[in-house]
Amino acid sequence: MKLYLVPTPIGNLKDMTFRAVEVLNDVDLILAEDTRTSGKLLKHFEISTQMQSHHMHNEHKTVKHLVEKLKSGMSIAVISDAGTPAISDPGFLLTRAAVENGIEVECLPGATAFVPALVNSGLPNDKFVFEGFLPVKKGRQTRLLLLAEETRTMIFYESPHKLIKTLGHFAEYFGEDRQVSVSRELTKLYEETVRGTATEVLAHYTNKPPKGEIVIVVAGKA
């Protein structure tokens, strides 16, 4: 009776740990955000454990049933498409329910995008705040106004087609000279990090539209 949270590579398959492969082989069931994506990963590592879909659209409905499975003695692993479960991905609701029901929870260390982005940004990392994705519409301005006063380094996730808009908002609300670092396609073939002021980084990506997964690291208010 145990719930495992298992990180998976964010790009480079070599970042999969021996322990992660062992756990995924040993558990009774794997909960995957997208079984098609995870199916390729499991096939690569020759893992034949049964998979079940577990994503943001069904996790509210399935938590109770999954807790019952755990109580019956099953061991279950949660994986996301990439990175550590529950970090801007499904996993929190089931983890909370497991803890509330006295079920042991173990999270393996492993890949997550914001840590390398923070460390290689060159910005202070002794204190930081992870914001994930900003609100798309409602609440976005309120959040930005609040974060404009944040003194710790801030970390955001963003999609490629919204990066220009978000960088523009950072320049507007945080100031054009605020230091920004954008890491793209971490661990993959075309990995890059662009650093500079909000205005400089905005100009770079305006001229060179971005592709791939993106992490933005922003300096706190001085």
Side-chain angles (χ1 to χ4, degrees):
M1 187 176 72
K2 193 170 185 177
L3 177 67
Y4 293 91
L5 304 173
V6 181
T8 55
I10 60 175
N12 193 325
L13 290 178
K14 293 179 182 178
D15 292 333
M16 188 75 166
T17 67
F18 292 113
R19 187 174 165 210
V21 172
E22 181 180 303
V23 168
L24 293 180
N25 265 315
D26 290 346
V27 293
D28 300 305
L29 177 66
I30 296 172
L31 302 178
E33 186 178 2
D34 187 327
T35 54
R36 293 166 298 180
T37 299
S38 296
K40 296 174 184 176
L41 178 75
L42 300 190
K43 183 178 180 180
H44 179 83
F45 290 102
E46 299 180 348
I47 298 167
S48 57
T49 306
Q50 178 188 354
M51 259 196 309
Q52 179 179 317
S53 180
H54 182 73
H55 48 73
M56 62 181 293
H57 302 295
N58 73 358
E59 60 178 337
H60 289 83
K61 300 176 183 178
T62 59
V63 164
K64 184 177 180 181
H65 178 62
L66 291 170
V67 167
E68 292 304 317
K69 283 181 176 290
L70 286 162
K71 283 183 174 180
S72 73
M74 288 184 68
S75 58
I76 298 177
V78 179
I79 59 176
S80 63
D81 288 347
T84 301
I87 303 296
S88 293
D89 280 323
F92 163 69
L93 293 178
L94 181 56
T95 300
R96 180 176 64 182
V99 170
E100 290 173 347
N101 283 272
I103 297 165
E104 186 177 358
V105 177
E106 183 174 347
C107 181
L108 277 61
T112 189
F114 79 79
V115 174
L118 171 64
V119 174
N120 75 26
S121 70
L123 296 173
N125 54 34
D126 55 332
K127 295 179 182 178
F128 60 89
V129 56
F130 175 72
E131 284 290 320
F133 290 95
L134 283 166
V136 177
K137 293 181 180 178
K138 186 177 180 181
R140 188 180 181 92
Q141 183 182 42
T142 301
R143 193 69 196 158
L144 287 166
L145 287 169
L146 179 66
L147 291 173
E149 302 302 315
E150 175 61 65
T151 58
R152 295 169 293 181
T153 299
M154 297 169 280
I155 305 166
F156 303 87
Y157 285 165
E158 192 51 280
S159 60
H161 67 279
K162 293 179 182 175
L163 178 62
I164 301 300
K165 176 182 177 181
T166 297
L167 289 173
H169 282 158
F170 289 164
E172 177 184 353
Y173 288 91
F174 301 164
E176 295 181 354
D177 293 331
R178 185 71 69 95
Q179 290 295 307
V180 172
S181 175
V182 174
S183 289
R184 186 180 67 84
E185 293 289 80
L186 285 165
T187 80
K188 299 177 184 177
L189 182 62
Y190 297 106
E191 173 180 339
E192 71 170 7
T193 295
V194 176
R195 307 172 184 85
T197 65
T199 302
E200 290 170 341
V201 178
L202 174 59
H204 172 85
Y205 283 111
T206 299
N207 294 324
K208 186 181 177 183
K211 295 179 181 180
E213 301 296 324
I214 291 169
V215 184
I216 312 173
V217 183
V218 183
K221 184 178 180 180

